[in-house]
Amino acid sequence: MGDLGIWDDKFIAPLSRLVGFIKQQKAVAGIQLGHSGRKARASRPWEGDRPLERTAEIEDWDAWTPVAPSAIAHSERWPVPRALDTHEVKELVAAWGQAARRAHAAGFEVLELHGAHGYLVHEFLSGRSNQRSDEYGGSEANRMRFLIEVTEAVRAHWPDHKPLFVRLSVEDNAGWGPEQSARLARILKAKGVDVIDCSSGGISEMAPILGKEIKYNYQVPLAEYVRAHADIMTMAVGLIIHGDQAEQILRDKQADLIAVGREILNNPNWPMDAALKLGVEGPFRNVPPQFGYWLGTRAKRGFGTQPSTWQNGLRETGPKADERLTGG
């Protein structure tokens, strides 16, 4: 198991402990709900990212059979999934609603539905992976139906005052693109979705890139397009690694929110570093006080050189600068 589970009420209590710890750190706890679909029963990415092989110690092998809209494999190296019956699709819609209920009970404040990267929801959206002939396949409207019904089921259990995000592969390089995503986003907004998290790729083995080069902001145009054409808030992702880079995206109104993932794994103090470089008042206010005290005293000491987070605003001296550096 490489992911946390929320398919049973027994998960509420341990997840509540996680939420409690996050809130103690003065942060907001969010959760992403997803289903792996035909990419399930696989090894963890750092352990090979491939289908698991059956061994004697796996007693519930059949219970983890990969399922999908249609019996079409992700690629030659992945097994053919079992196509879901119509009644099973409806059961999954209800299951998403129950997962949202548990997330609310556990105390999460933000919820995101994972509809990207070739997992189950994306498999329903894509004509490449969805070749059904019932109400969940065929036309674009039918292929959108699953996610729309999931959204309705989730909002029935997720309070109106709590934000609801949906992550989409706005461009999957396989027939689903920005125009389709914008049409879907307009529908989802009417169903209670607040933000579209704009990513790309995943429905095939093809790398999720726009053009032939992955560079800074390479997925930001997706967020900008959906924001402009669906009249909904968007979140930009994809090699956004500097604070001023993120700030410029917001100032240029290309997106309303920025998600920083792997760069924070690389530098867990990224928010503090960005605050310093952008001249935010009291940059050490939101780190543990024992951190803030020592970092603040060093920063205002004037030791004859520039710290790694130096920027022009920190050259000021006197009480005003002291307040900025210590969060007073």
Side-chain angles (χ1 to χ4, degrees):
M1 179 65 68
D3 288 315
L4 295 176
I6 197 168
W7 63 81
D8 191 282
D9 283 0
K10 67 183 179 182
F11 295 112
I12 295 175
L15 288 172
S16 295
R17 293 197 295 273
L18 289 177
V19 170
F21 177 78
I22 291 169
K23 290 182 177 180
Q24 286 176 3
Q25 314 313 309
K26 299 180 180 180
V28 175
I31 187 170
Q32 184 186 78
L33 303 183
H35 188 299
S36 297
R38 66 184 186 180
K39 297 171 77 173
R41 206 165 64 183
S43 64
R44 300 174 181 91
W46 53 92
E47 295 175 349
D49 193 21
R50 60 181 181 272
L52 290 178
E53 297 181 4
R54 187 168 192 171
T55 57
E57 62 267 22
I58 304 178
E59 298 179 356
D60 57 349
W61 177 262
D62 292 334
W64 294 93
T65 299
V67 295
S70 304
I72 302 171
H74 180 66
S75 69
E76 292 182 356
R77 69 187 187 94
W78 290 89
V80 176
R82 180 178 65 78
L84 290 160
D85 292 333
T86 302
H87 75 89
E88 291 178 307
V89 177
K90 295 184 183 299
E91 289 172 355
L92 280 170
V93 169
W96 244 283
Q98 290 303 306
R101 174 185 62 79
R102 296 180 188 111
H104 174 55
F108 289 99
E109 297 295 334
V110 180
L111 188 150
E112 178 172 88
L113 306 179
H114 198 332
H117 300 165
Y119 298 120
L120 186 64
V121 172
H122 188 188
E123 291 164 19
F124 272 92
L125 295 174
S126 171
R128 175 173 292 193
S129 51
N130 182 351
Q131 298 182 11
R132 301 176 69 91
S133 58
D134 66 356
E135 63 194 281
Y136 294 100
S139 68
E140 180 181 288
N142 280 0
R143 286 183 280 115
M144 291 178 178
R145 189 185 307 277
F146 179 62
L147 177 53
I148 293 169
E149 290 185 357
V150 164
T151 302
E152 291 172 337
V154 165
R155 261 306 180 198
H157 295 278
W158 187 249
D160 290 341
H161 70 277
K162 289 189 174 183
L164 177 60
F165 291 32
V166 172
R167 172 162 252 202
L168 294 178
S169 283
V170 175
E171 172 61 76
D172 69 5
N173 303 115
W176 181 272
E179 292 182 1
Q180 292 86 350
S181 295
R183 286 195 290 269
L184 174 59
R186 286 193 291 269
I187 297 170
L188 294 178
K189 181 181 179 180
K191 300 295 182 180
V193 171
D194 300 292
V195 177
I196 302 296
D197 176 2
C198 300
S199 189
S200 66
I203 203 65
S204 69
E205 296 275 73
M206 186 186 304
I209 60 174
L210 304 175
K212 296 182 178 180
E213 182 183 9
I214 295 182
K215 54 188 177 181
Y216 287 174
N217 294 1
Y218 76 103
Q219 295 186 118
V220 173
L222 301 176
E224 185 176 20
Y225 184 94
V226 172
R227 185 179 190 271
H229 291 83
D231 188 28
I232 191 171
M233 290 190 291
T234 61
M235 183 159 69
V237 303
L239 279 183
I240 302 171
I241 65 174
H242 299 295
D244 57 351
Q245 177 192 2
E247 181 69 11
Q248 194 62 50
I249 294 167
L250 299 177
R251 289 186 181 276
D252 290 344
K253 301 187 185 304
Q254 294 177 286
D256 301 278
L257 295 166
I258 304 294
V260 180
R262 295 180 197 183
E263 188 58 26
I264 286 185
L265 296 178
N266 182 57
N267 175 14
N269 290 314
W270 189 93
M272 181 190 72
D273 183 68
L276 280 164
K277 290 176 177 176
L278 292 171
V280 173
E281 184 179 356
F284 301 123
R285 182 179 299 154
N286 292 320
V287 297
Q290 60 269 38
F291 290 19
Y293 173 78
W294 292 110
L295 292 173
T297 55
R298 186 187 76 163
K300 65 183 179 180
R301 181 178 295 139
F303 48 85
T305 186
Q306 298 171 1
S308 62
T309 52
W310 178 87
Q311 47 85 27
N312 288 338
L314 297 185
R315 290 186 296 181
E316 296 179 17
T317 58
K320 182 178 179 181
D322 289 351
E323 289 178 0
R324 179 184 295 111
L325 292 167
T326 61

